[in-house]
Amino acid sequence: MSNYTDHPITYYVYGADGYNTPGDGQFALRDHGYPMSGVGSWVRAAFPTITVPARTSTVVPISIAIPANASPGDHVGGVSGMDTAVESVQQQGDIRVGIKRVVAARLYVHVDGPALGGLTVTDLKVSGSASFPAYVSDSDGTVTATVTNSGNLLESPKAHLRATGIFGTLIDRTVQLPQILPGQSIHFSQSWKNMPPFEIGTLHLAVTDDSASAPVTSAAAVSLMLVPWLTLLVLALAGLAILVGLVFWRRRRKGSAQVRVRPEPTKAAAP
């Protein structure tokens, strides 16, 4: 560990489990004090707390003890050094948050045994609605899904998103997803610019990792029905208002046509 400042720094040195962050699916390590259950619990630092003098470096030996009941496959974590001092304080509403600096190195461990790659796609859906009035301005939507590494190997998949409808292909794109750790899930999200106000078809999402010797893939599909409900509702109300007005107008006109003037009876002249 290196200290480039002009004052000594005391670090907590500890093993940390790796995970995929909920928001963007990026790799991260658990914080100090979090209960570790994977690689983080296998790491033993020779000095759990160490002070590094100013402008010097220190080597901290570590050991890794893999338990006998460890599941086969890939296990990912790291070795972290956290500054014991609070670097800064940020105010978030009524809560004050202390910021600490952490340096870390990733640690990849493979346990021999049956290796199984696996990917699962769930919760595929489209959100967004047509602009009002439809066909006058563009509208945007979002395609979301959950991608899970259901195997015991690291996966670095690509996602192929395709939507087809009665007017042809609507979306056809491929994106690289973050590396997904075994047992972890990431949130897939893609914006849909200029989403058509009316369309009926199918949305497909195929996730594939062909970097391994045995490619792994998973796919999901949902029916696609885009209808400009607000525009149709306004048109229906306008049509109903016109129809009601026409009925009243015809009734008033018919009533006026039925009005007749009764002539006064004439009196006979006296002889």
Side-chain angles (χ1 to χ4, degrees):
M1 301 188 70
S2 299
N3 178 8
Y4 298 101
T5 69
D6 57 359
H7 58 83
I9 298 178
T10 300
Y11 292 96
Y12 296 117
V13 183
Y14 59 97
D17 291 342
Y19 68 100
N20 289 103
T21 57
D24 55 9
Q26 297 301 315
F27 177 84
L29 292 173
R30 299 294 183 187
D31 292 334
H32 181 260
Y34 189 93
M36 308 297 174
S37 59
V39 171
S41 64
W42 303 349
V43 174
R44 296 290 182 271
F47 309 105
T49 303
I50 188 170
T51 299
V52 182
R55 299 186 179 88
T56 60
S57 297
T58 301
V59 176
V60 181
I62 65 168
S63 61
I64 303 174
I66 301 176
N69 61 350
S71 59
D74 295 330
H75 299 263
V76 186
V79 180
S80 299
M82 174 184 285
D83 189 346
T84 59
V86 176
E87 184 177 276
S88 62
V89 177
Q90 296 181 358
Q91 190 77 27
Q92 298 180 356
D94 296 332
I95 301 176
R96 299 183 69 194
V97 179
I99 307 298
K100 291 186 176 182
R101 185 182 298 273
V102 180
V103 294
R106 295 192 191 188
L107 185 60
Y108 294 86
V109 178
H110 181 81
V111 178
D112 290 337
L116 177 64
L119 290 168
T120 306
V121 179
T122 56
D123 299 329
L124 177 62
K125 59 184 177 181
V126 180
S127 60
S129 58
S131 59
F132 177 80
Y135 297 102
V136 174
S137 59
D138 296 332
S139 59
D140 297 333
T142 305
V143 179
T144 58
T146 299
V147 181
T148 302
N149 183 345
S150 51
N152 61 7
L153 301 176
L154 287 169
E155 301 288 358
S156 299
K158 292 181 179 179
H160 182 203
L161 179 64
R162 190 168 187 266
T164 56
I166 57 178
F167 298 113
T169 301
L170 308 172
I171 299 178
D172 192 356
R173 70 180 68 158
T174 301
V175 295
Q176 178 66 54
L177 299 181
Q179 188 179 63
I180 310 176
L181 278 60
Q184 294 284 308
S185 298
I186 66 171
H187 178 70
F188 173 85
S189 178
Q190 284 287 301
S191 61
W192 186 347
K193 298 294 184 181
N194 304 324
M195 186 172 66
F198 174 77
E199 187 60 89
I200 298 175
T202 307
L203 179 70
H204 301 264
L205 178 62
V207 179
T208 304
D209 183 1
D210 53 10
S211 61
S213 56
V216 179
T217 186
S218 177
V222 293
S223 297
L224 182 66
M225 186 173 69
L226 305 176
V227 180
W229 295 113
L230 181 57
T231 300
L232 293 179
L233 177 61
V234 171
L235 291 176
L237 292 176
L240 180 61
I242 293 173
L243 180 61
V244 171
L246 182 61
V247 171
F248 274 101
W249 177 76
R250 294 188 63 182
R251 286 184 177 179
R252 290 188 61 184
R253 183 179 179 184
K254 184 177 180 181
S256 300
Q258 291 178 351
V259 174
R260 297 290 185 271
V261 178
R262 175 182 291 182
E264 293 290 334
T266 57
K267 295 181 179 180

